[in-house]
């Protein structure tokens, strides 16, 4: 049985890790490199680095910071934010990213998924989907609504070559009230590729729930790890005790 993954998320603004609720009320919580090192020591399976204002501000992700983080960790590392071309993807992969995550740019030009997957392979392409009401796909860090629907867009991304879907329920993000398990389970059941669940983790029980009832292949969280409310090593012991396959 394939092991479930625990993935801390580093939302980056101006080189610092930040966190908000429902994509607003952003506050700084720490240094990106130091936090990445800590999560690696604690037993995280992967890291996700999202430059959350790159697309909104019309700039590129900080490649120099990506390189610094990559030099300090030895686990897979996904980077997203401001990636709109093959050159952008190449620059980040050359800087040490193991995968790239695309969101707004993929919606604006879906062929970008095909292009990156064709050049580098589907295993390098994560399509992130931020959805309102577990239905309405948004862009630009949740600031703009689109005419795309969660399930149909996820299927299109899969067919175009995405290797994973990172699904964030905007209504649950930062609330610590639990993941959108019902929608996550339905999404997992409709796709052939792995789904990373994001948005709403408040305790270890929520992660157990999204990996079982929610059928997610991986659980992404931020606040509970950033503020020391849940320790990844202890979390994995709890998951193993619940019969969930994890790497310890």
């Amino acid at each position: 049985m394939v092991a479930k993954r625990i993935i801390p998320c580093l939302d980056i603004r101006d080189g610092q890790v930040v966190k908000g609720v429902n994509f607003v009320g952003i506050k700084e919580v720490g240094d990106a490199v130091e936090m990445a090192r800590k999560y690696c020591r604690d037993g995280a399976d992967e890291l996700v680095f999202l430059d959350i204002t790159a697309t909104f501000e019309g700039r590129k992700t900080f490649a120099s910071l990506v390189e610094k983080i990559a030099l300090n960790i030895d686990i897979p590392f996904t980077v997203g934010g401001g990636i709109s071309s093959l050159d952008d993807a190449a620059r980040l992969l050359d800087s040490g990213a193991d995968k790239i995550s695309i969101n707004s740019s993929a919606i604006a030009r879906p062929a970008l998924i095909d292009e990156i997957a064709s050049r580098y392979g589907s295993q390098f392409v994560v399509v992130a989907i931020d959805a309102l009401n577990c239905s309405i796909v948004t862009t630009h860090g949740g600031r703009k609504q689109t005419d795309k629907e969660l399930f149909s867009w996820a299927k299109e991304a899969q067919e175009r070559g995405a290797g994973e879907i990172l699904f964030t329920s905007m209504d649950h993000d930062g609330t610590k009230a639990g993941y959108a398990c019902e929608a996550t389970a339905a999404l997992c059941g409709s796709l052939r590729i792995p789904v990373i669940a994001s948005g709403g983790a408040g305790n270890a029980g929520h992660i157990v729930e999204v990996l079982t009832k929610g059928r997610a292949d991986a659980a992404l969280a931020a606040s509970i790890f950033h503020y020391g409310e849940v320790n990844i090593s202890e979390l994995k012991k709890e998951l193993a005790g619940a019969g969930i396959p994890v790497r310890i």
Side-chain angles (χ1 to χ4, degrees):
M1 187 178 293
V2 178
K4 302 285 189 175
R5 291 169 288 151
I6 302 301
I7 306 176
C9 180
L10 305 179
D11 289 332
I12 307 294
R13 185 181 65 182
D14 300 329
Q16 292 291 307
V17 178
V18 298
K19 194 69 188 81
V21 177
N22 303 133
F23 286 38
V24 296
I26 305 298
K27 297 179 180 179
E28 291 188 3
V29 295
D31 177 78
V33 175
E34 288 305 313
M35 292 179 74
R37 292 176 64 186
K38 178 184 185 303
Y39 291 142
C40 187
R41 292 194 303 268
D42 288 348
D45 295 295
E46 300 183 15
L47 283 178
V48 167
F49 167 118
L50 299 177
D51 190 338
I52 62 171
T53 57
T55 297
F56 177 66
E57 295 172 0
R59 59 172 170 76
K60 305 303 182 184
T61 301
F62 294 114
S64 60
L65 182 56
V66 171
E67 186 171 0
K68 287 179 184 177
I69 293 175
L71 289 171
N72 280 274
I73 62 175
D74 58 5
I75 56 178
F77 180 33
T78 301
V79 178
I83 301 169
S84 58
S85 68
L86 273 174
D87 286 345
D88 292 338
R91 181 168 50 86
L92 294 172
L93 292 170
D94 288 345
S95 296
D98 297 288
K99 309 176 192 177
I100 56 95
S101 173
I102 51 178
N103 187 336
S104 302
S105 58
I107 292 171
R109 194 170 69 84
L112 180 63
I113 303 171
D114 307 69
E115 293 168 5
I116 298 175
S118 295
R119 173 73 64 86
Y120 297 106
S122 292
Q123 71 272 20
F124 291 104
V125 186
V126 178
V127 172
I129 304 177
D130 301 330
L132 276 171
N133 302 322
C134 296
S135 175
I136 303 168
V137 176
T138 69
T139 63
H140 297 78
R143 293 174 177 85
K144 297 183 180 181
Q145 295 186 22
T146 74
D147 60 359
K148 292 189 179 295
E149 186 272 335
L150 170 62
F151 293 90
S152 60
W153 173 232
K155 287 182 181 178
E156 180 179 346
Q158 171 183 264
E159 297 311 311
R160 287 182 175 276
E164 288 184 289
I165 297 295
L166 169 52
F167 163 50
T168 300
S169 167
M170 289 180 59
D171 305 283
H172 293 73
D173 179 72
T175 64
K176 298 185 179 181
Y179 293 87
C181 288
E182 188 173 322
T184 302
L187 188 62
C188 292
S190 70
L191 300 173
R192 302 185 305 273
I193 59 177
V195 173
I196 303 167
S198 170
N203 54 53
H206 290 153
I207 293 178
V208 170
E209 184 179 36
V210 81
L211 295 177
T212 52
K213 177 183 175 182
R215 300 177 59 187
D217 298 276
L220 180 145
S223 297
I224 60 171
F225 297 143
H226 296 344
Y227 298 118
E229 296 164 17
V230 173
N231 175 272
I232 294 173
S233 178
E234 294 302 314
L235 169 63
K236 285 192 165 185
K237 291 177 183 177
E238 185 169 338
L239 295 175
I244 299 170
V246 291
R247 299 182 187 90
I248 296 179

